[in-house]
Amino acid sequence: MLMTGRDPSPGRGGVVYNRPVARPAYGARSAYGYGGGTAYPDPFEQAEPVAPSRRLAALGEPVQASRPIERVLDPRFQRQEVAYDGPHKAGTIIIDTPRRFLFLVQPGGRALRYGIGVGRPGFEWAGMKAVTRKAEWPSWTPPAEMLKRRPDLPRFMPGGGDNPMGARALYLGSSLYRIHGTNEPHTIGQAVSSGCIRMTNDDVTDLYERVRVGAKVLVI
């Protein structure tokens, strides 16, 4: 049995053990159209992610990881181009808070879609803003309201890899809210911030290069 995978015992009918598990082709995915679970037509084309497969040992038991599993970005929050048929002009940023996506409208009925982290319960907000300033590797000065909640925070932190603002920041109007990078990319897709919009450093750098000061930002 160890050599062939068959039980040689009489009367067992040559039962086959360790039959290969059927798996989808690498990169296979399925698409779905409008709706997205909302009560109104969704102007963005979506794609349903494929669930990752599990590695199995010889007798169907899960393989023990040789090191701790790293927290990685969910594939559906990776940057991609999607269809768009909404009313907003190219260059507009649309932040879909419930679904954790930021869209940058492109010409020709397309949009770039990025995964984001958003405000935790009690810190959600919506409205129309504009990009009033852009900064590379921004410094961070926690606002007084945050220091009241977290007196352990530093009063000032220079820009850099350890700064929670990440690689780039886009400042929204006269508010304290920003679209910025993060040194915690595993929080993308979650509601964890104090109202700012988080992106991976790669994504916010890409967005930073595409967006001009004055661009409209619609948060829904």
Side-chain angles (χ1 to χ4, degrees), residues 93 95 125 129-133 169-179 195-197 215-217 219:
I93 294 173
I95 296 173
W125 63 282
K129 298 289 184 182
V131 175
T132 51
R133 186 164 75 89
L170 285 71
Y171 295 78
L172 304 181
S174 59
S175 72
L176 297 175
Y177 301 127
R178 293 154 291 213
I179 301 168
C196 288
I197 306 302
K216 292 183 178 180
V217 180
V219 181

Side-chain angles (χ1 to χ4, degrees), residues 20-36:
V21 178
R23 302 181 187 276
Y26 178 79
R29 64 190 304 173
S30 61
Y32 58 90
Y34 296 131

Side-chain angles (χ1 to χ4, degrees), residues 6-212:
R6 297 178 180 274
D7 189 341
S9 304
R12 298 298 293 273
V15 178
V16 178
Y17 294 85
N18 308 333
R19 188 180 302 277
V21 178
R23 302 181 187 276
Y26 178 79
R29 64 190 304 173
S30 61
Y32 58 90
Y34 296 131
T38 61
Y40 49 87
D42 183 354
F44 301 100
E45 176 185 66
Q46 301 297 322
E48 182 178 350
V50 176
S53 59
R54 298 180 64 194
R55 293 180 58 209
L56 300 178
L59 297 180
E61 297 296 329
V63 174
Q64 294 295 326
S66 58
R67 58 189 175 86
I69 298 175
E70 296 180 0
R71 292 179 291 184
V72 296
L73 185 67
D74 187 316
R76 66 195 172 109
F77 294 120
Q78 293 176 352
R79 180 170 74 243
Q80 59 183 285
E81 185 176 282
V82 298
Y84 173 72
D85 64 358
H88 299 285
K89 296 180 179 179
T92 302
I93 294 173
I94 303 171
I95 296 173
D96 188 335
T97 302
R99 295 169 60 198
R100 317 290 198 259
F101 289 130
L102 180 151
F103 297 89
L104 176 61
V105 180
Q106 301 288 289
R110 307 297 290 175
L112 293 175
R113 191 185 77 183
Y114 305 81
I116 56 173
V118 299
R120 62 184 182 272
F123 290 86
E124 308 98 329
W125 63 282
M128 181 70 80
K129 298 289 184 182
V131 175
T132 51
R133 186 164 75 89
K134 298 165 56 177
E136 300 184 15
W137 294 106
S139 59
W140 181 49
T141 302
E145 296 86 349
M146 184 178 293
L147 289 173
K148 288 181 180 179
R149 299 190 303 269
R150 292 283 309 279
D152 58 306
L153 292 175
R155 269 47 182 175
F156 174 82
M157 182 177 287
D162 294 330
N163 192 305
M165 292 280 286
R168 302 288 187 274
L170 285 71
Y171 295 78
L172 304 181
S174 59
S175 72
L176 297 175
Y177 301 127
R178 293 154 291 213
I179 301 168
H180 64 77
T182 180
N183 55 11
E184 298 178 316
H186 58 275
T187 62
I188 300 303
Q190 301 182 35
V192 292
S193 78
S194 295
C196 288
I197 306 302
R198 296 184 180 185
M199 305 177 70
T200 65
N201 281 334
D202 285 345
D203 281 355
V204 78
T205 299
D206 182 82
L207 182 70
Y208 181 96
E209 298 298 329
R210 298 175 185 272
V211 172
R212 62 178 178 81

